[in-house]
Structures are given as structure tokens and as C-alpha cells.
Amino acid sequence: MQSPLFSHTEQQSQDRYTVQNPQLLRVALTGHDDVLARKGAMVAYQGLMDFDGEYQNQSQRTARANTGEGLDLMRCSGQGTVYLANLAQYVHVVEVDQDGLTVDSAYVLALDSALHTEVIAVDSQYGISGSGKYQLNISGRGQVALMTSGRPLMLPVTPDRYVNVDADAIVAWSSSLRVQMQAQTHASNIRRRRGSTGEGWELNFLGQGFALVQPSEVMPPQGAQIGQGVAAQFGVGQHGAHGQNQNNAWN
């Protein structure tokens, strides 16, 4: 049998995480600690592997119930190689250091089991309860695999160059950055979208670090659940995962 398909063979690497192709991640477990992956993300594996649901403690369950932010993970362990993907989204491996990484949990594919995660809040400039956005802070030392809808843009943030990003397009940023939700509108019109432009909430970043943006403002294909505290009041965008149910309120 002959076909160009046979050119898509396994990428040989000694690295723990290898981007097999732009939309498929290869994780080597032999000689490494367990990896935590998004539930249902396994598409293939080789060797003797075990997959178990990851336990969530009471504080994690409470944060998930109150904010909608959190991770549904499975623990991958054993001796072998596992391949992970999620609806053909683009995969990117990020090294987490002492500065930490803040990310929308909808875009996490996998992470080292040694990393620590915590739900944090981003307040709006108007100080209105419920009009902020919740994100996931990842700290420690290790690697995390992120997903984007399309090829992303990495924007540097410096003390003399701040960055504004649509709240539906942001994927992750350096935890050391100062961030605030804002809308280019008067406080009296906070519940209205920005005129007829279709633009709404955005995040303002200041400090030293980076902001990762995807070329999409649509709901992530995995269909992240909407929490009660994130955008249940005003939402964070017209098309995003946290704004799908808010369009009628702004009309």
C-alpha cells in the first residue's frame, strides 16, 4: 500500500513534550512524572498506560462552582507515549517559571502534575461586582500545553508599551503583569456595547511580560462552561466562551 499518509510518522524526540504536528501533542511518560491532561484529549498511546480522573479538593470544587473557571483533568501515568489533541486546535508548549502563567482554562490541553493552579479574579475598571473575569493562575516550574483557535500572536508588554486585548481573544499572559478589565465607554453606558462596532470588554496589560492572543473571538470548540460569577452580569464579549448568553442583554 502506498500513500502520502505514510509520511506522517511519529516524531522521534527525547523531550517530554513534542508537538507532533501543529494540532497534535506527543507526551513521553517513560522516566517522567505523571502528566495531567484535559479529559477526553487522548487520541492514541503506546506502551503500558493508565488514565484516571484527577481528584478535585473542596476549594477547587467551590471555585469551579462559583466562577466557572477550573480544569476537568485526567491523570496519565505509566511507561510509554500518549498523544493528545482537542478538535484540531493548534498546540503550543510553554515553559512556566517563577513569573507564573495566567490562562483561560478553556485553552489548557495538558500540564505537568507538579504545577499548582489557582482561580484568580480580574476586576473591571468600574468596580461593579460580577463584571470582572476569572482566570487560572499556574505557578511552579514545569511545562503546560496550550491550545489556540488558529495561529496565535505573542505581544510583548513593556513598561513603556502597554497592550489592550479583546477579552474573547486573550489566551494567556505573564502573571507578573498588572491587568484590568475595561471598556471604551462611559460608566453610564456600561451595560451597552461599544456603539455599533461589536466590540466590548477588553483587558489592559501593564508591566513587563507577554500576552498571547488567538485570531478568533468564537467560543472554544470544547465548549467551556459558563460560570455564575464571570460574565453572568455583563459578559466579556460578543462571541466568546463567557459572552454567549449575554448578546440579548446588550441589544
Side-chain angles (χ1 to χ4, degrees), residues 26-245:
R26 174 184 184 269
V27 183
L29 287 175
T30 302
H32 296 282
D33 293 335
D34 299 347
V35 66
L36 300 178
R38 177 174 292 276
K39 285 184 178 179
M42 184 274 291
V43 296
Y45 69 91
Q46 297 173 320
L48 300 174
M49 306 288 294
D50 287 320
F51 303 94
D52 295 306
E54 179 66 2
Y55 170 78
Q56 289 187 331
N57 59 38
Q58 183 60 45
S59 63
Q60 290 173 322
R61 292 195 298 269
T62 301
R64 183 65 179 271
N66 292 336
T67 69
E69 193 71 22
L71 294 170
D72 286 325
L73 298 171
M74 61 180 179
R75 179 175 291 268
C76 309
S77 59
Q79 300 295 308
T81 303
V82 61
Y83 296 89
L84 304 172
N86 187 69
L87 296 176
Q89 287 190 285
Y90 284 77
V91 179
H92 318 274
V93 178
V94 179
E95 190 80 30
V96 179
D97 56 21
Q98 67 272 12
D99 290 336
L101 180 72
T102 302
V103 62
D104 189 317
S105 62
Y107 303 114
V108 175
L109 178 63
L111 71 158
D112 288 341
S113 57
L115 291 172
H116 175 70
T117 62
E118 180 184 15
V119 175
I120 62 171
V122 177
D123 293 329
S124 80
Q125 64 178 347
Y126 299 102
I128 300 175
S129 176
S131 64
K133 178 178 174 67
Y134 291 96
Q135 297 289 122
L136 196 70
N137 192 63
I138 301 177
S139 58
R141 288 187 177 272
Q143 292 178 294
V144 56
L146 303 179
M147 305 175 292
T148 62
S149 297
R151 295 183 182 274
L153 172 67
M154 183 70 80
L155 291 170
V157 182
T158 62
D160 59 351
R161 182 186 180 187
Y162 64 86
V163 172
N164 292 318
V165 178
D166 189 292
D168 289 332
I170 188 69
V171 174
W173 66 82
S174 305
S175 296
S176 58
L177 291 175
R178 300 190 306 276
V179 57
Q180 185 178 60
M181 288 198 71
Q182 63 181 23
Q184 297 298 327
T185 184
H186 299 294
S188 60
N189 292 327
I190 187 63
R191 292 172 177 80
R192 293 181 176 272
R193 300 195 63 78
R194 196 183 305 174
S196 59
T197 66
E199 300 296 339
W201 288 101
E202 60 191 35
L203 298 183
N204 173 255
F205 298 99
L206 301 98
Q208 187 76 43
F210 69 86
L212 182 64
V213 183
Q214 66 177 359
S216 173
E217 298 180 53
V218 298
M219 179 180 287
Q222 63 268 19
Q225 295 296 313
I226 299 175
Q228 296 302 311
V230 183
Q233 299 292 324
F234 307 112
V236 297
Q238 182 178 24
H239 304 294
H242 300 302
Q244 285 291 309
N245 292 341

